[in-house]
Amino acid sequence: MTDPALSDAPAAPARTPGPRAVDARRVERLCHTTGLLLVLSGLAHLVVFAVDGGPWDGPVSWRKPVTFGVSFGVTLIAVTWITSYLRVGPRPRALLLAVFAADCVVEVGGITLQAWRGVPSHLDMETPFDTAVSMTLAVGGGVLVVLLTVFAVASFRHRPSGPAGMDLAVRSGFAILLVALVSGAAMIARGVVLTRTGHQEAAYHSTAPLKPLHGVSLHAVLVLPALAWLLSRTRWSETLRRRLLYAAIGSYVAAVVGAAVWAVLTY
């Protein structure tokens, strides 16, 4: 028999998420929305290019707001998703993601502004305003390097969670992403040196050899974890899924090595 006193006792209140969890979810939604808007901005400038025309390559073209808008938007969404598998406290992760989102907006905003003004966005020291924009983008690039390196280190300090193979995919993605950060920093550093020494045109062309390496390695942090997630939704054995993931990582590394060799040969 149930004790009447116990049956009349009030039910325990449902557990609600703490303020830190709520803040983290709010920042995640903000990052996803911001990333989507950046992608839409890039696609909108693809329409502008189709209407306005002009060169696709070169320091002044509609290519830059298109590619940077889409790339930064996709990367922001990917990093927001991937870091949910890292063992990082909700509050530090929310803070890092908020700064990352703001930095992505600054980078894409500066590049888009200069495209509409018809002047180069990077390495342009022609006027005080252009210098301010160029240096802001350079500093923003440095902030991106620091933030993404922090997340990369966190992925190797503690094993990421998630479905089978996600730990390997996340670590591999961040490791390859570091190559993108190094190549991006090298492009900026080389270009600034050439600009400061009076070789403006050479500065614009100096980044070309490293662009394929930078572009290929930048999105591994999305491609590999996305593949691991898709494989986890299949009914294949874990052994087969691991082999496919290893093959994908090997292929991606081979592509990065090929881009690096091409950069060295053409630099």
Side-chain angles (χ1 to χ4, degrees), residues 55-73:
W56 180 253
D57 294 321
V60 181
S61 69
W62 293 116
R63 169 188 56 83
K64 300 190 75 171
V66 172
T67 56
F68 278 82
V70 173
S71 182
F72 270 90

Side-chain angles (χ1 to χ4, degrees), residues 67-81:
T67 56
F68 278 82
V70 173
S71 182
F72 270 90
V74 169
T75 301
L76 175 57
I77 294 172
V79 169
T80 303
W81 170 52

Side-chain angles (χ1 to χ4, degrees), residues 23-92:
D23 290 343
R25 291 172 186 172
R26 185 180 296 116
V27 171
E28 284 184 349
R29 289 195 295 269
L30 174 64
C31 290
H32 289 148
T33 302
T34 303
L36 178 60
L37 291 175
L38 293 177
V39 171
L40 292 176
S41 173
L43 296 178
H45 282 88
L46 187 60
V47 177
V48 173
F49 169 71
V51 174
D52 186 62
W56 180 253
D57 294 321
V60 181
S61 69
W62 293 116
R63 169 188 56 83
K64 300 190 75 171
V66 172
T67 56
F68 278 82
V70 173
S71 182
F72 270 90
V74 169
T75 301
L76 175 57
I77 294 172
V79 169
T80 303
W81 170 52
I82 294 306
T83 54
S84 65
Y85 295 115
L86 303 183
R87 294 187 182 181
V88 180
R91 181 166 294 180

Side-chain angles (χ1 to χ4, degrees), residues 13-258:
R15 180 174 296 179
T16 57
R20 293 185 178 182
V22 173
D23 290 343
R25 291 172 186 172
R26 185 180 296 116
V27 171
E28 284 184 349
R29 289 195 295 269
L30 174 64
C31 290
H32 289 148
T33 302
T34 303
L36 178 60
L37 291 175
L38 293 177
V39 171
L40 292 176
S41 173
L43 296 178
H45 282 88
L46 187 60
V47 177
V48 173
F49 169 71
V51 174
D52 186 62
W56 180 253
D57 294 321
V60 181
S61 69
W62 293 116
R63 169 188 56 83
K64 300 190 75 171
V66 172
T67 56
F68 278 82
V70 173
S71 182
F72 270 90
V74 169
T75 301
L76 175 57
I77 294 172
V79 169
T80 303
W81 170 52
I82 294 306
T83 54
S84 65
Y85 295 115
L86 303 183
R87 294 187 182 181
V88 180
R91 181 166 294 180
R93 173 173 173 261
L95 176 60
L96 291 172
L97 285 177
V99 175
F100 184 55
D103 201 15
C104 288
V105 171
V106 170
E107 292 288 304
V108 176
I111 290 165
T112 303
L113 171 65
Q114 296 298 73
W116 280 96
R117 294 182 65 237
V119 297
S121 56
H122 294 85
L123 310 175
D124 184 4
M125 311 292 181
E126 293 296 328
T127 68
F129 182 80
D130 294 330
T131 300
V133 173
S134 180
M135 295 310 297
T136 298
L137 295 178
V139 172
V143 173
L144 291 176
V145 170
V146 172
L147 293 174
L148 293 175
T149 300
V150 169
F151 284 133
V153 171
S155 72
F156 285 95
R157 286 189 61 188
H158 303 286
R159 184 176 182 178
S161 59
M166 183 60 74
D167 56 337
L168 175 63
V170 170
R171 285 175 169 175
S172 299
F174 271 119
I176 297 174
L177 177 63
L178 292 178
V179 177
L181 299 180
V182 171
S183 59
M187 285 192 290
I188 294 174
R190 177 63 174 168
V192 169
V193 170
L194 289 172
T195 300
R196 293 296 188 185
T197 54
H199 301 87
Q200 189 68 60
E201 286 300 321
Y204 292 144
H205 296 291
S206 67
T207 61
L210 289 172
K211 284 181 179 179
L213 175 62
H214 182 70
V216 169
S217 55
L218 183 63
H219 297 295
V221 74
L222 169 63
V223 174
L224 297 178
L227 176 61
W229 182 85
L230 289 173
L231 289 174
S232 71
R233 313 294 291 181
T234 69
R235 296 183 178 180
W236 299 336
S237 67
E238 183 175 347
T239 300
L240 176 59
R241 283 180 289 169
R242 282 273 180 178
R243 288 177 178 175
L244 291 174
L245 187 57
Y246 278 127
I249 294 172
S251 299
Y252 213 111
V253 170
V256 171
V257 171

